[in-house]
Amino acid sequence: MRLVGGLGPYEGRVEVLNKGQWGTICDDGWSDLDASVVCKQLNYTRAFFGAGSGPVWMNNVNCDGIERHLGLCGQTEFSSSSHVCQHDEDAGVTCDVDSLDQSSIDVKLRLSGGPSPRVGRLEIFYNGTWGSVCEDGFRDREAVVACRSLGFELAEVSYGRNWDGQYAPSEGPVWLDRGLECLGMEQNIALCEHSGWGQSNCDYTGDVILSCLDVTPTPPPPQALIVRLVGGPSAQEGRLEVLYRGAWGTVCDDDFDALDAAVFCRMLGFNGTARYMEQAYGPGDDDSPVWLDDMQCKGNETSAEECVFSGLEEIVHCWHSEDVSIACLPQSEQTDSAEMTTTPSLSLRLQDGPNAMEGRVEVLYNGTWGTVCDDDFGDEDASVVCSMLGYIFGGEPLGSLYGPANDSVPIWLNEVECEGGESLLTQCAFLGLDRGDPECNHDQDVSLRCFSDPAATPLRLHGGATEADGWLEIYHDGRWGRICGDFGTRGAQVACNSLGLSGNALVVKDKESTANEKFPTWLTDVECSGQESSLLDCEHPEYDESSCWDHDDDAYVQCGADLVPLRLEGGSHPGEGRVEVFFQGVWGTICNEDFDDEDAQVVCRSLGLSVSEARELTFSNIAIGEGQIWLESLDCLGSESNVMQCNHDGWGQHNCYHHEDVRVSCGSPS
């Protein structure tokens, strides 16, 4: 964000950088509250200027005034087509120049002790002294802001920790520690929230080591890379090392697979089997660099330089415990234990499923139908199989749902590794063929389901203990992704109905997500009435792969739950009292946060009492409860038959005390 056209840096037309282009904000609904957030984002504590140019990015911003940046205000969509504003409506602000926190603006940053100005220990000059930053809580957002503070505006970042003292320790204080929290768009890391300057319990081993990598393609080295295998029993296998700039270094195992191994074996003169052995012959010498990371080869390259990768500047976030080892065999010594096949084609079919779109996967090879082992068989592999069968919208693995096959049937393939874009299964890496794979048995025969209609919005519950519970995932753009954010019981009920799972739905709030930051989140903040036939019929923002990147709010859904019993305790007659709910074998209360007449009606209906006089008793002599508080922020429409069908913050998730227990009065029994 910047202010343009004013008398100083503290005033001007508000402009926002989005998708690499500066644009303005329309003044429809623009108020002092919006202006105060702009000033706060620019590090002024308190809060009109000619027409701009380019797109008008935002309109009807609608801030409450307490937000840290405009992205947290009511209008969060950046669009130049969702309004009819002209540049004579561009919004501007004047900030209180006396409120600028100069101590934060004047800090300087540097990278110290590294091989280039872009790599080294992150240090901050504050209060006349250079000091370091602790790695605790330091994440990608903080790294991006730090690189921007250093002047590397177009940069990819990586970071690590000074575990083994590979960089000399800072001689000054540790200025910033765990409380550091950036939003990602700050121009200086000092503008991020933190727990205070010099408030740290870190030593030098926790210093942040930062690399701000240029996004321009790495030019090829002046000579071809030279590779070798070290530490193995023969010249055919060992730890993979690369010679670059006169020094031998290793390869990090992040994303490394059999396709990458095949390319390095080809560079070594082996044209037969290629096998990735993880860290079988590592780690490398602590004094040696890690030259390559995040290898993404297709398998047909003649040299690793033709692959996509990170590195050829020393990698700072990989350790030698992650060094890659591989095994290579010449063509004449191939075995059937591991094979990169070049077989021209295979015929496929699905067997024993309920329809043509799902069943056990079988492969025709050498005139005989055989199965595929489910080891490492994933979404990308399923998509390639379904595409070969004519279902171009992908598919999902179903484990061994439609197996096992007859014991006389061979198992032709194992450890299939597709990227998802292949047109033939034989273009993927796999083990087997010829005599099959003796390490699998038919209990591991893979089954899958293909998708025939993109409008069907495939859903699944993944990673649960049964088929009726798990992480709620939706198939979009050829990949499965999560649903996160403010996802309530009504949305879960729509999902369970879509999956054909009867009964009531629960959203489980205390599950630790199994996804990492590379796994997409497709939908967030889905709002349903409960009557929709599909989640896409509910209100939700557009698909966004990066929303909820930390997966803390991924939706975990359980279908087929029973309705919960309720009771009224401590009242003067059976139609009034403290509301208690019986869940997981324990009676507990409901907090009165956001409780209203619609919620009271559902409570009374759950008890078989009339709803015509249902109301909360805000002033009552009814005693408070003890023990468990089950629900907070109950959000019923009023038509539900049981509080279990209402939205809420999650069972047992609350910040309440028993003096906030809900008391209700209902009419006489109906």
Side-chain angles (χ1 to χ4, degrees):
M1 180 177 294
R2 66 185 183 186
L3 302 182
V4 177
L7 298 177
Y10 53 87
E11 69 176 17
R13 181 177 62 254
V14 183
E15 295 192 355
V16 179
L17 183 65
N18 179 42
K19 298 180 180 178
Q21 187 174 7
W22 288 99
T24 61
I25 299 175
C26 186
D27 66 1
D28 289 352
W30 190 252
S31 70
D32 289 344
L33 294 176
D34 307 313
S36 68
V37 174
V38 170
C39 293
K40 186 185 304 180
Q41 189 170 336
L42 293 169
N43 210 41
Y44 296 90
T45 59
R46 296 186 298 275
F48 150 86
F49 284 99
S53 60
V56 180
W57 282 130
M58 303 178 74
N59 185 29
N60 294 320
V61 175
N62 192 24
C63 298
D64 293 325
I66 61 174
E67 297 87 353
R68 290 176 57 198
H69 68 95
L70 284 187
L72 297 175
C73 298
Q75 203 280 13
T76 57
E77 179 186 4
F78 289 87
S79 173
S80 59
S81 60
S82 61
H83 53 77
V84 292
C85 288
Q86 305 299 319
H87 281 299
D88 58 359
E89 300 175 82
D90 288 341
V93 302
T94 297
C95 302
D96 184 351
V97 67
D98 294 331
S99 69
L100 179 63
D101 184 358
Q102 293 292 341
S103 65
S104 294
I105 294 297
D106 289 342
V107 301
K108 300 176 183 178
L109 279 75
R110 70 182 181 188
L111 296 179
S112 179
S116 76
R118 290 181 174 270
V119 180
R121 182 182 62 255
L122 178 61
E123 294 189 346
I124 295 182
F125 188 73
Y126 175 74
N127 200 25
T129 303
W130 285 101
S132 59
V133 178
C134 184
E135 191 266 349
D136 288 346
F138 197 88
R139 305 161 301 168
D140 289 347
R141 295 179 184 177
E142 287 73 34
V144 168
V145 174
C147 287
R148 183 182 299 127
S149 305
L150 288 159
F152 303 123
E153 189 67 37
L154 298 176
E156 294 176 352
V157 301
S158 61
Y159 56 91
R161 184 171 185 170
N162 197 19
W163 278 112
D164 55 4
Q166 73 268 41
Y167 290 83
S170 173
E171 296 180 357
V174 179
W175 279 131
L176 295 176
D177 197 349
R178 181 181 297 275
L180 181 64
E181 181 178 354
C182 299
L183 297 169
M185 79 288 292
E186 294 89 348
Q187 295 300 309
N188 190 298
I189 199 169
L191 302 181
C192 304
E193 287 191 352
H194 55 82
S195 56
W197 295 98
Q199 304 298 311
S200 172
N201 57 4
C202 271
D203 59 25
Y204 74 90
T205 63
D207 290 347
V208 167
I209 306 300
L210 180 65
S211 176
C212 303
L213 304 177
D214 196 338
V215 296
T216 56
T218 302
Q223 61 182 36
L225 292 175
I226 299 174
V227 297
R228 69 182 184 185
L229 299 179
V230 177
S234 70
Q236 296 175 190
E237 65 180 88
R239 181 177 64 254
L240 180 60
E241 294 194 350
V242 176
L243 180 64
Y244 179 65
R245 290 185 176 175
W248 286 101
T250 58
V251 179
C252 186
D253 66 1
D254 292 346
D255 294 329
F256 199 93
D257 58 23
L259 296 174
D260 308 310
V263 175
F264 283 104
C265 285
R266 189 172 297 118
M267 294 176 68
L268 289 161
F270 299 103
N271 294 314
T273 297
R275 186 155 51 103
Y276 166 42
M277 306 176 68
E278 296 187 356
Q279 301 94 25
Y281 300 108
D285 191 328
D286 287 341
D287 294 330
S288 65
V290 179
W291 281 133
L292 297 176
D293 189 17
D294 299 323
M295 295 298 306
Q296 298 180 46
C297 299
K298 297 179 180 178
N300 58 359
E301 297 88 348
T302 59
S303 171
E305 297 166 74
E306 301 170 17
C307 304
V308 176
F309 58 84
S310 302
L312 291 186
E313 295 292 343
E314 187 175 354
I315 306 298
V316 299
H317 62 273
C318 262
W319 317 112
H320 282 296
S321 60
E322 303 171 81
D323 288 343
V324 162
S325 295
I326 63 174
C328 310
L329 287 177
Q331 194 74 31
S332 60
E333 297 183 32
Q334 285 193 38
T335 70
D336 35 324
S337 63
E339 182 173 4
M340 292 289 296
T341 182
T342 57
T343 304
S345 64
L346 293 172
S347 296
L348 299 172
R349 69 183 183 186
L350 300 179
Q351 288 290 101
D352 295 340
N355 54 57
M357 292 184 293
E358 62 183 278
R360 182 179 64 253
V361 181
E362 294 194 354
V363 176
L364 181 64
Y365 179 66
N366 278 349
T368 302
W369 286 100
T371 60
V372 179
C373 187
D374 66 2
D375 288 349
D376 298 326
F377 197 92
D379 294 334
E380 295 81 3
D381 312 313
S383 292
V384 174
V385 171
C386 290
S387 179
M388 291 182 64
L389 291 168
Y391 303 106
I392 63 174
F393 302 111
E396 62 172 327
L398 300 175
S400 55
L401 180 62
Y402 299 112
N406 189 291
D407 287 341
S408 62
V409 174
I411 300 173
W412 283 133
L413 299 178
N414 187 19
E415 297 189 19
V416 178
E417 294 184 25
C418 301
E419 294 184 354
E422 296 86 350
S423 57
L424 296 173
L425 194 61
T426 50
Q427 294 172 344
C428 306
F430 56 81
L431 310 183
L433 289 184
D434 291 339
R435 289 185 294 276
D437 190 340
E439 296 184 2
C440 268
N441 59 67
H442 281 296
D443 289 338
Q444 298 170 271
D445 289 342
V446 76
S447 299
L448 59 80
R449 176 185 297 121
C450 298
F451 305 135
S452 62
D453 182 4
T457 315
L459 290 175
R460 70 179 182 187
L461 296 177
H462 185 66
T466 70
E467 293 184 0
D469 72 299
W471 300 104
L472 183 59
E473 296 180 352
I474 187 169
Y475 193 80
H476 172 69
D477 197 24
R479 290 187 296 165
W480 288 98
R482 292 281 174 85
I483 296 172
C484 78
D486 188 12
F487 190 78
T489 305
R490 291 190 284 271
Q493 192 66 61
V494 172
C496 291
N497 294 343
S498 300
L499 291 165
L501 298 171
S502 59
N504 298 286
L506 280 176
V507 179
V508 182
K509 296 285 188 177
D510 57 352
K511 289 283 187 178
E512 182 176 353
S513 178
T514 58
N516 60 36
E517 66 274 9
K518 295 182 180 180
F519 194 78
T521 299
W522 286 133
L523 293 179
T524 182
D525 296 332
V526 180
E527 296 185 14
C528 302
S529 68
Q531 305 304 312
E532 297 86 353
S533 59
S534 165
L535 278 183
L536 294 187
D537 295 332
C538 303
E539 293 185 10
H540 62 85
E542 291 299 314
Y543 284 107
D544 182 0
E545 179 178 354
S546 61
S547 61
C548 299
W549 62 272
D550 56 5
H551 292 284
D552 284 348
D553 294 322
D554 286 350
Y556 190 98
V557 171
Q558 179 182 336
C559 303
D562 295 328
L563 293 176
V564 293
L566 276 75
R567 68 185 182 187
L568 298 179
E569 290 288 295
S572 59
H573 60 83
E576 70 173 24
R578 180 181 64 254
V579 183
E580 294 191 353
V581 184
F582 191 70
F583 183 69
Q584 292 184 345
V586 176
W587 285 101
T589 60
I590 298 176
C591 181
N592 64 11
E593 181 76 23
D594 297 327
F595 196 88
D596 57 22
D597 289 345
E598 287 79 10
D599 306 320
Q601 290 168 10
V602 175
V603 168
C604 294
R605 185 178 297 113
S606 301
L607 292 163
L609 302 173
S610 172
V611 302
S612 60
E613 299 178 12
R615 60 189 177 90
E616 181 188 2
L617 298 174
T618 54
F619 298 98
S620 172
N621 293 324
I622 298 172
I624 63 174
E626 297 179 350
Q628 181 68 52
I629 299 175
W630 274 130
L631 296 176
E632 181 185 11
S633 298
L634 193 65
D635 178 19
C636 301
L637 299 175
S639 57
E640 295 89 349
S641 60
N642 189 280
V643 294
M644 184 179 217
Q645 300 164 342
C646 304
N647 285 348
H648 49 76
D649 286 349
W651 291 93
Q653 307 294 310
H654 66 87
N655 290 303
C656 291
Y657 299 93
H658 278 295
H659 69 268
E660 301 170 88
D661 288 343
V662 165
R663 291 93 154 176
V664 162
S665 176
C666 304
S668 58
S670 57

